[in-house]
Amino acid sequence: MLQILKARFHQKYRTFPFPEKMPPMAARYTGRPEIASGNCKSGCNACVAACPVGALSLGENKRPIIDMGSCLFCRACETACPEKLINFTQDFSLAANKKEGLLINAATFKRAEAMGNELRRLFGRSLKLRQVSAGGCNACEADTNVLATPNFDLARYGIQFVASPRHADGLLITGPVSQNMKLALLKTYEALPSPSIVIATGACAISGGLFKGNSEVNDGVGNLIPVDLYIPGCPPNPWTILEGILRFMGRL
């Protein structure tokens, strides 16, 4: 017992003081992309051709537009661009209220806004979520589950994952919604008490990700049920998930 107490004392306080302090991100972490000012002069389409999931397009003056809802954050477009217009930062704040809000065509980005006043009154201090893995690879699920560890300590914000949709205030959905999970997801959504919220987490849940266009998936959850918050990434970093939910709750 004494050895256990000594070890625990040596480990010290393990919960990171977020949001009072910003977490240090790994040097190789890939966060929100930025499009530099100025126009694309070459118009070579190299960035568009390099993207494995079609997350890029060219807008006015051939300027790149990145859809973070589809983006895998592989940085292939950043490497391919001869004019270095694309830069992936270490900003982990990526969540948006609408799918259109995930489109990046400049250095500025409008972060997610808090839910409405009535929902904030109900869920602003306590939020219970039922997590649904709708055919995902378990990467998003793993980064969601890690939020329960001492470093993140999701419960200190009043946020908890529950076993039944009957006990939940909303759903946190991962995966592209395979045909085999479609009915289960719809029944889970119907079982939620009203009012409720839906959070689409990861590229698959938002747009279908790598599986987009396949007949065995539904290209994300937005085609089936209304979504209140989009958290992009493949998978999204745990801090991205936590920051997005807290911002949506009006806690940031």
Side-chain angles (χ1 to χ4, degrees), residues 7 18 45 51 53 80 87 92 106 113 232:
F18 180 80
N45 278 8
C51 182
V53 290
N87 174 50
F92 60 86
E113 297 179 349

Side-chain angles (χ1 to χ4, degrees), residues 91-107:
D91 188 348
F92 60 86
S93 179
L94 307 177
N97 299 97
K98 297 181 178 181
K99 206 170 182 180
E100 298 78 35
L102 298 174
L103 297 177
I104 301 293
N105 56 12

Side-chain angles (χ1 to χ4, degrees), residues 38-43 58-64 85:
N39 299 327
C40 178
K41 298 177 182 179
S42 61
L58 296 182
E60 295 181 4
N61 299 314
K62 301 294 184 177
R63 284 178 55 77
L85 290 178

Side-chain angles (χ1 to χ4, degrees), residues 15-16 146-154 156-157 238-239 242:
T15 303
F16 193 86
V146 78
L147 292 174
T149 61
N151 184 51
F152 300 94
D153 192 13
L154 187 69
R156 63 181 157 143
Y157 305 103
W239 290 116
L242 179 58

Side-chain angles (χ1 to χ4, degrees), residues 4-16 150-151:
I4 294 175
L5 291 175
K6 285 183 177 180
R8 185 65 188 88
F9 181 77
H10 178 73
Q11 292 168 357
K12 299 182 180 179
Y13 188 73
R14 289 185 282 179
T15 303
F16 193 86
N151 184 51

Side-chain angles (χ1 to χ4, degrees), residues 58-178:
L58 296 182
E60 295 181 4
N61 299 314
K62 301 294 184 177
R63 284 178 55 77
I65 300 174
I66 300 177
D67 180 6
M68 288 199 300
S70 299
C71 182
L72 305 183
F73 293 79
C74 66
R75 307 186 84 143
C77 58
E78 182 184 48
T79 303
C81 180
E83 299 183 34
K84 306 302 179 184
L85 290 178
I86 302 173
N87 174 50
F88 282 83
T89 70
Q90 287 207 315
D91 188 348
F92 60 86
S93 179
L94 307 177
N97 299 97
K98 297 181 178 181
K99 206 170 182 180
E100 298 78 35
L102 298 174
L103 297 177
I104 301 293
N105 56 12
T108 57
F109 172 66
K110 185 179 180 181
R111 292 175 171 81
E113 297 179 349
M115 60 181 80
N117 292 335
E118 179 61 16
L119 290 179
R120 286 183 65 184
R121 184 184 69 82
L122 295 172
F123 307 141
R125 298 180 63 184
S126 175
L127 182 64
K128 312 300 181 186
L129 296 171
R130 175 68 170 99
Q131 198 273 323
V132 179
S133 176
C137 69
N138 284 333
C140 292
E141 292 82 353
D143 277 1
T144 299
N145 292 340
V146 78
L147 292 174
T149 61
N151 184 51
F152 300 94
D153 192 13
L154 187 69
R156 63 181 157 143
Y157 305 103
I159 308 170
Q160 291 180 312
F161 291 106
V162 295
S164 170
R166 298 290 187 187
H167 304 154
D169 303 315
L171 301 181
L172 187 148
I173 303 168
T174 57
V177 190
S178 63

